[in-house]
Amino acid sequence: KRRESSLVAHPTMIGKAVWVAVVVACVACVMAMPSPSSSRTQMLHRQKPVVQQEQTVQRPRIPARFVLTRIAKPTGQVDHCGNCVAWAENAMEDLVQALFDLTFDACKDLCSQLPGQAEASICNALCDVVGVKEFIKIINEADLDPIYYCQLMKKCEFDDGGSGKLVDTNIVPRSGQRGNVFSVNVTFEVYNKTGAGEFLNIISAEDGSQQDVETGALFDYLDAGSYQGYVQFGTNIDKQNMVTWHSGRYHVQTYFCMGECFSNHPHSKTFNYHNSTFTLANSSDDDDQDDGPI
């Protein structure tokens, strides 16, 4: 120990120079190192996933009517898929919130969390078929995707080999006034039978005067073949969702999808999309009276 102290206290000129160089180099290394918080911030920034806008934006959804000139199933058959999806769109968010707050051992206890008697009755009927544990498992797995939920419940068909293409879209009429009903005419090909899916219209005001809205039309399945049809939507004011339909030009992106459009769940696929436009020429945009439900 005394020898070591002597070496430190009385270094030779050469040893001293080496010692100083080592110390300076070490200080430089320490100064160059990023702080732990800075390093983690950079790492998190690099790892942050890029999410498509369509998957994150919440757009008001307005009702639509879908008509095909070629029917994919016998007339009069009960639409189990459509009924299931319509229920799931209204009920799943409430059920997910209930499961987040509480635990349930019986279907009736879980379904009683829904606000409407009709929704609760359908919930009980679906839950009783598979049992409450499986029902809860399916709700969690579906993750607010109503089509995938109904496929898991065996109410909607799926076929992972399905393929098709949207050939053309056009809007009738090309111009009108607020309150008019517009039709998005679709021409499309199905090459291999599909499972359940939808046509999704995303409607954007060219001048940005209102937020984007969407309207969708569900199909249970489509056999191979050539199709024509149309999706109708209204343009009434909806103050609750800040949908005003001012004068101007509107762009419509129509997507042809198997499963829910932009979903990452199994059996989901976006085939393609087409663009079209229409124009509103309202007599007075100062009249903001609510026209009622769209």
Side-chain angles (χ1 to χ4, degrees):
K1 292 180 180 180
R2 292 177 64 85
R3 186 181 305 138
E4 291 171 356
S5 298
S6 176
L7 288 172
V8 173
H10 306 286
T12 64
M13 293 299 293
I14 296 176
K16 183 176 181 179
V18 173
W19 179 264
V20 171
V22 171
V23 170
V24 170
C26 290
V27 170
C29 290
V30 171
M31 294 296 291
M33 292 177 62
S35 65
S37 60
S38 174
S39 176
R40 176 166 177 78
T41 300
Q42 293 176 3
M43 179 181 68
L44 290 175
H45 180 72
R46 289 195 302 269
Q47 292 179 346
K48 185 177 180 180
V50 177
V51 181
Q52 295 182 8
Q53 180 182 7
E54 289 82 359
Q55 294 174 303
T56 58
V57 174
Q58 295 296 319
R59 294 175 291 265
R61 193 173 181 94
I62 59 179
R65 177 172 177 257
F66 183 39
V67 177
L68 277 177
T69 56
R70 174 176 170 179
I71 304 300
K73 55 189 174 184
T75 303
Q77 181 174 328
V78 177
D79 187 5
H80 294 294
C81 180
N83 292 338
C84 177
V85 171
W87 173 84
E89 287 178 336
N90 293 322
M92 284 188 67
E93 189 170 350
D94 289 331
L95 292 176
V96 168
Q97 184 60 51
L99 291 170
F100 181 79
D101 296 331
L102 302 167
T103 58
F104 300 93
D105 296 320
C107 290
K108 63 178 182 178
D109 296 332
L110 172 59
C111 296
S112 67
Q113 302 300 308
L114 294 174
Q117 182 59 43
E119 290 181 349
S121 297
I122 296 173
C123 176
N124 275 305
L126 293 169
C127 183
D128 287 340
V129 172
V130 295
V132 66
K133 290 184 178 180
E134 183 66 16
F135 189 65
I136 292 172
K137 178 183 175 182
I138 290 174
I139 290 173
N140 289 329
E141 184 176 348
D143 188 27
L144 298 180
D145 181 336
I147 296 179
Y148 183 49
Y149 164 81
C150 293
Q151 288 171 332
L152 292 172
M153 290 294 295
K154 297 181 172 51
K155 298 298 181 181
C156 290
E157 294 195 27
F158 65 87
D159 190 330
D160 293 335
S163 63
K165 180 181 179 181
L166 189 59
V167 177
D168 188 34
T169 62
N170 65 84
I171 297 182
V172 177
R174 295 294 301 274
S175 64
Q177 293 188 346
R178 181 174 56 211
N180 289 166
V181 174
F182 290 83
S183 296
V184 182
N185 295 329
V186 292
T187 301
F188 59 100
E189 298 282 344
V190 175
Y191 306 123
N192 295 313
K193 179 185 174 182
T194 74
E198 67 173 345
F199 288 93
L200 175 68
N201 296 311
I202 299 177
I203 307 169
S204 308
E206 187 172 80
D207 62 1
S209 59
Q210 73 174 31
Q211 64 175 321
D212 294 354
V213 298
E214 67 178 45
T215 183
L218 176 77
F219 54 85
D220 188 355
Y221 65 87
L222 293 169
D223 289 317
S226 299
Y227 291 85
Q228 289 183 331
Y230 57 89
V231 182
Q232 289 183 327
F233 63 92
T235 55
N236 291 333
I237 291 176
D238 181 359
K239 287 185 177 180
Q240 182 178 356
N241 289 313
M242 296 181 292
V243 180
T244 51
W245 299 110
H246 288 297
S247 295
R249 192 181 187 196
Y250 288 81
H251 294 265
V252 181
Q253 284 188 321
T254 302
Y255 291 82
F256 180 20
C257 307
M258 191 166 67
E260 186 178 63
C261 290
F262 315 122
S263 173
N264 292 321
H265 291 125
H267 323 311
S268 300
K269 185 188 305 182
T270 299
F271 295 136
N272 68 324
Y273 72 93
H274 265 252
N275 294 311
S276 52
T277 62
F278 68 96
T279 302
L280 289 180
N282 300 328
S283 57
S284 174
D285 280 330
D286 295 329
D287 180 12
D288 288 333
Q289 183 177 0
D290 198 327
D291 296 328
I294 297 176

